[in-house]
Amino acid sequence: QVQLAESGGGLVQSGGSLRLSCAASGRPLSTYAMAWFRQGPGKEREFVAAISWRGITTYYADSVKGRFTISRDNAENTLYLQLNSIQPEDAAVYYCAAGPYQGSRIEREYSYWGQGTQVTVSS
């Protein structure tokens, strides 16, 4: 099994930037396709971005395309999400997830989840 731990959330001004990290332990990160999801207040959890095992292919929700960048460093067992031009609607708890299916946007196809990191946006 792999354990995931997110960090890097916090309070950011609208238009600002933030980088989230997801540290993996227990098994090599390279074993898994990875993704970020988020859950805003009063909303369902939604797909944000996904990345292939070696980081060559990335996938994004339309709402974040061009503003967010997913990346991974398998040597460091860490997944990243760079958030730029942050908007109030980006405020949410962000979760990293690991699973076998590259590019999946479906929650139930991810077997392992972190505890989440909160992103709060001030306007």
Side-chain angles (χ1 to χ4, degrees):
Q1 287 192 356
V2 65
Q3 291 80 45
L4 304 173
E6 302 93 337
S7 61
L11 176 64
V12 60
Q13 283 194 325
S14 182
S17 297
L18 210 56
R19 189 174 84 155
L20 308 182
S21 300
C22 171
S25 60
R27 289 195 67 180
L29 191 72
S30 58
T31 306
Y32 301 97
M34 300 295 296
W36 288 95
F37 287 76
R38 68 184 181 186
Q39 186 168 19
K43 298 181 181 179
E44 299 282 324
R45 190 154 58 182
E46 63 176 357
F47 170 81
V48 175
I51 190 166
S52 59
W53 291 273
R54 285 198 264 177
I56 295 172
T57 307
T58 56
Y59 310 81
Y60 294 96
D62 288 344
S63 58
V64 307
K65 200 175 295 183
R67 300 188 298 120
F68 291 8
T69 303
I70 187 172
S71 61
R72 65 193 296 165
D73 185 338
N74 287 340
E76 295 294 327
N77 265 352
T78 305
L79 175 75
Y80 300 99
L81 185 68
Q82 178 69 40
L83 290 67
N84 295 330
S85 302
I86 294 174
Q87 301 302 312
E89 55 266 30
D90 296 321
V93 178
Y94 284 73
Y95 300 89
C96 62
Y101 303 115
Q102 176 178 316
S104 174
R105 298 168 184 246
I106 302 172
E107 276 189 63
R108 65 177 180 273
E109 293 188 344
Y110 290 90
S111 305
Y112 303 101
W113 293 81
Q115 82 288 350
T117 186
Q118 176 76 52
V119 172
T120 303
V121 183
S122 65
S123 53

